[in-house]
């Protein structure tokens, strides 16, 4: 049985590790290649795009893939749509492995928005010093803002950037003490993040709550309609075992 994992997330690496010991399986993890030095899963890895849904469908046929698990980032909408279209074309079972989104607790000052553009429009009413944790590819939405931004990303972002931008190169998981220091040392007024879910980057939400800072949180897109989903690796393994 050949399983393709569309990866790049902690869950994708955990799934590849869980399947690695089964000699009856061939497991291929596919990474988009957007990070210069990605954390590689165990086992067979391919890096780079497929060329849209038609290219992915051709790859599924050529490699005789029996099941696809889309364990990409919750905001990787394009590859998820491509995977759904390609899997339907070649009649390959497809599962979306999606960690649950974050849920506010008492004390949180969340401002949900539908896009980065909405986040940029809301910021002037919330503060002048922004901790931006939406990834290096989203900074263009804030390029015309007069506010000051501390932008954290794994790799250095490319222009266009806001005129007043500090770049903090770092990779999670992050600690609560570390996030407290970032917010205090940089005198942050407001945090901007995507609803990625998971524990690796959640400490910033706790730190913001402790300081009573507003958080602009971009809602995640819905997975393709009709697609089975799993919230964690054990559930994905159960789905595979049932095929």
């Amino acid at each position: 049985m050949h399983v393709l994992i569309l990866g790049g997330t902690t869950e994708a690496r955990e799934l590849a590790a869980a399947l690695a010991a089964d000699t009856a399986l061939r497991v291929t993890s596919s990474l988009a290649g957007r990070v210069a030095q990605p954390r590689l899963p165990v086992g067979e890895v391919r890096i780079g795009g497929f060329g849209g849904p038609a290219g992915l469908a051709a790859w599924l046929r050529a490699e005789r893939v029996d099941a696809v698990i889309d364990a990409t980032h919750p905001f990787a909408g394009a590859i998820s749509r491509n995977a759904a279209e390609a899997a339907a074309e070649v009649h390959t079972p497809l599962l979306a492995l999606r960690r649950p989104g974050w849920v506010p607790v008492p004390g949180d000052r969340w401002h949900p928005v539908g896009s980065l553009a909405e986040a940029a429009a809301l910021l002037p009413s919330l503060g002048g010093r922004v901790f931006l944790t939406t990834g290096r590819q989203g900074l263009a939405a804030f390029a015309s803002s007069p506010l000051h931004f501390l932008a954290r990303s794994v790799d250095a972002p490319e222009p266009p950037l806001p005129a007043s931008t500090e770049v903090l190169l770092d990779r999670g998981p992050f600690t609560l003490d570390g996030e407290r220091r970032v917010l205090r040392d940089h005198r942050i007024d407001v945090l901007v993040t995507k609803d990625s879910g998971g524990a690796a980057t959640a400490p910033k939400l706790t730190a913001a709550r402790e300081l009573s800072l507003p958080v602009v949180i971009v809602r995640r897109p819905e997975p393709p309609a009709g697609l089975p989903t799993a919230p964690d690796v054990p559930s994905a393994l159960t789905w595979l075992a049932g095929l």
Side-chain angles (χ1 to χ4, degrees):
M1 183 179 188
H2 187 186
V3 180
L4 172 64
I5 301 173
L6 302 174
T9 60
T10 300
E11 291 81 8
R13 292 190 294 273
E14 290 176 353
L15 180 61
L19 297 174
D22 190 340
T23 57
L25 296 178
R26 176 189 171 193
V27 180
T28 303
S29 295
S30 177
L31 308 182
R34 294 180 178 175
V35 177
Q37 295 181 321
R39 290 174 174 161
L40 297 178
V42 298
E44 184 179 341
V45 178
R46 68 172 304 280
I47 296 178
F50 291 94
L56 177 53
W59 196 92
L60 296 177
R61 289 193 187 97
E63 299 296 327
R64 298 184 179 181
V65 174
D66 299 292
V68 180
I69 297 182
D70 174 11
T72 55
H73 192 277
F75 283 82
I79 184 59
S80 293
R81 290 190 296 271
N82 291 348
E85 186 175 334
E89 179 181 334
V90 299
H91 306 289
T92 301
L94 170 65
L95 175 76
L97 174 53
R98 292 288 183 271
R99 69 183 78 133
W102 290 316
V103 177
V105 300
D108 282 329
R109 297 176 58 197
W110 286 11
H111 299 264
V113 295
S115 67
L116 292 177
E118 288 185 32
L122 180 61
L123 283 177
S125 67
L126 298 177
R129 297 181 64 84
V130 182
F131 185 25
L132 191 60
T133 64
T134 56
R136 67 186 178 94
Q137 295 183 335
L139 271 69
F142 305 89
S144 62
S145 176
L147 307 180
H148 177 78
F149 290 85
L150 174 66
R152 183 167 67 191
S153 60
V154 176
D155 295 323
E158 298 179 356
L161 305 176
S164 181
T165 301
E166 293 179 75
V167 176
L168 177 61
L169 298 182
D170 205 353
R171 187 199 302 259
F174 301 103
T175 66
L176 179 55
D177 284 343
E179 300 294 60
R180 288 168 175 155
R181 284 194 298 271
V182 169
L183 296 180
R184 288 178 174 141
D185 291 352
H186 292 271
R187 295 177 287 117
I188 298 299
D189 298 319
V190 55
L191 167 67
V192 180
T193 187
K194 294 177 178 178
D195 182 15
S196 301
T201 60
K204 62 189 172 187
L205 301 174
T206 303
R209 182 169 61 251
E210 290 177 349
L211 295 173
S212 194
L213 298 182
V215 177
V216 179
I217 186 162
V218 182
R219 292 185 292 267
R220 60 171 60 181
E222 293 293 328
L227 193 66
T229 61
D232 51 36
V233 170
S235 299
L237 293 174
T238 300
W239 177 82
L240 268 180
L243 293 181

